[in-house]
């Protein structure tokens, strides 16, 4: 393959991704951004390279061939770009990623970072907030972000998947947080004992009908981390049935449910919650106090998990 300029390779990659109809949403939202990510990564260039000023840079034949091969792999496999590069970013923080975990994109990260488009959870936190739990941690990204955002807290991060926890351990070490983040393998609450001041949970919540229509990029991710059952609420039923028992008196739980608000409200009609605004709108992430869970206890559905005694 012939040599080319950086700008030519970027334009070619953008065109090929567009024509192939690949799906985005794993760190980029359009062909242009994904092309830039893949081209720059493959060439070993900083991802913040100014493409306007560097577009005329000549890429030799070997480099151009490597870029074209990577774009072809992205199109052929339909794997998210993060699986090809082994890295993803959340709120500007880099994380190791592979096919054992979903690509980190939780909206709760916006809440932790108190981004301009998000309602901060500061009113519910205070000096009493000492212990944080990240339930369904995946690659550990929310646990890491919480530890970075609140230097005085300790964080427990739990997942049912031993494979996911291996990736999470890499990210905890990558950010030097081994002394403040502990990893636990547990099926929801089944193997967890203790109480926390803040619980973060981005659980599997995609309903069964939506699972059936996911693009290949999403089907490349572990179904265990996405599939929430018929109405998307299987894990959430378990979570809320036992959450109050694991919360300190003034604790709060921050829960992401994506596009499943209608299903959530159908299952928990009397539970008082606070909806937190994120870039996805005002109904994808919610906050629940321990008092609210206790008040609605009689109306909560039973725990569907049969944890071993």
């Amino acid at each position: 393959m012939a040599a080319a300029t950086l700008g030519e390779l970027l334009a070619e990659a953008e065109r090929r991704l567009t024509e192939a109809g690949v799906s985005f949403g794993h760190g980029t939202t359009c062909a242009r951004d994904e092309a830039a990510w893949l081209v720059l990564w493959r060439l070993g260039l900083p991802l913040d390279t100014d493409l306007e000023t560097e577009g005329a840079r000549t890429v030799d034949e070997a480099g151009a061939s490597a870029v074209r091969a990577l774009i072809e792999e992205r199109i052929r496999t339909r794997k998210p770009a993060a699986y090809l590069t082994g890295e993803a970013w959340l709120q500007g923080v880099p994380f190791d990623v592979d096919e054992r975990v979903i690509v980190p994109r939780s909206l709760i990260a916006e809440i932790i970072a108190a981004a301009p488009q998000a309602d901060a959870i500061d009113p519910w936190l205070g000096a009493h907030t000492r212990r944080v739990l990240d339930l369904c941690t995946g690659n550990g990204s929310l646990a890491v972000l919480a530890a970075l955002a609140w230097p005085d807290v300790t964080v427990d991060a739990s997942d049912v998947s031993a494979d996911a926890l291996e990736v999470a351990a890499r990210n905890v070490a990558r950010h030097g947080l081994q002394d403040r983040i502990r990893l636990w393998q547990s099926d929801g609450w089944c193997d967890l004992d203790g109480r926390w001041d803040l619980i973060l949970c981005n659980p599997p919540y995609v309903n069964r009908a939506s699972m059936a229509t996911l693009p290949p990029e999403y089907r490349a991710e572990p179904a265990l981390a996405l599939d929430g059952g018929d109405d998307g609420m299987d894990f959430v039923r378990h979570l809320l049935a036992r959450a109050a028992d694991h919360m300190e008196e003034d604790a709060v739980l921050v829960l992401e449910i994506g596009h499943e608000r209608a299903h959530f409200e159908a299952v928990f009609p009397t539970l008082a919650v606070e909806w937190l605004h994120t870039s996805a709108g005002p109904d994808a992430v919610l906050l629940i106090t321990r008092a609210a869970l206790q008040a609605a206890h009689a109306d909560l559905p039973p725990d569907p998990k049969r944890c071993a005694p």
Side-chain angles (χ1 to χ4, degrees), residues 219-297:
R219 293 201 299 272
E221 297 180 294
L224 180 67
L226 297 172
D227 190 345
D230 286 344
D231 62 358
M233 293 295 113
D234 281 3
F235 187 91
V236 179
R237 288 181 177 89
H238 165 70
L239 171 72
L240 299 187
R242 299 190 179 203
D245 295 334
H246 294 277
M247 299 170 74
E248 296 288 3
E249 188 65 29
D250 295 321
V252 295
L253 185 157
V254 177
L255 171 65
E256 179 170 336
I257 58 165
H259 301 295
E260 306 292 347
R261 178 171 179 169
H263 286 132
F264 178 87
E265 292 181 333
V267 176
F268 306 101
T270 65
L271 180 60
V273 306
E274 297 280 345
W275 293 96
L276 304 176
H277 188 83
T278 70
S279 60
D283 53 7
V285 178
L286 56 102
L287 179 146
I288 313 170
T289 65
R290 183 172 187 265
L293 285 167
Q294 291 176 314
H297 177 73

Side-chain angles (χ1 to χ4, degrees), residues 163-185:
D163 285 340
L165 290 172
E166 289 183 7
V167 181
R170 295 206 322 248
N171 283 313
V172 170
R174 177 174 184 169
H175 293 283
L177 294 168
Q178 299 94 321
D179 293 339
R180 294 184 48 222
I181 298 178
R182 296 183 299 176
L183 301 176
W184 302 91
Q185 185 175 6

Side-chain angles (χ1 to χ4, degrees), residues 45-111:
L45 297 173
L47 296 184
D48 60 355
T49 296
D50 187 334
L51 296 172
E52 293 296 326
T53 60
E54 296 293 322
R57 175 192 295 206
T58 298
V59 178
D60 63 22
E61 184 175 341
S65 179
V67 165
R68 291 175 176 126
L70 179 62
I71 298 302
E72 178 58 31
E73 183 180 6
R74 171 69 176 89
I75 292 169
R76 175 177 53 81
T77 66
R78 287 302 203 268
K79 292 179 181 179
Y83 287 163
L84 303 180
T85 66
E87 190 171 51
W89 290 260
L90 196 58
Q91 291 298 313
V93 179
F95 294 98
D96 287 7
V97 173
D98 63 34
E99 293 174 60
R100 294 175 291 176
V101 295
I102 63 172
V103 178
R105 53 185 177 273
S106 175
L107 296 164
I108 294 175
E110 296 179 11
I111 305 298

Side-chain angles (χ1 to χ4, degrees), residues 111-112 114 119-126 150 198 200 252 254 276 287:
I111 305 298
I112 295 173
D119 292 330
I121 59 174
D122 289 359
W124 289 276
L125 307 181
W150 300 300
L198 171 63
L200 309 172
V252 295
V254 177
L276 304 176
L287 179 146

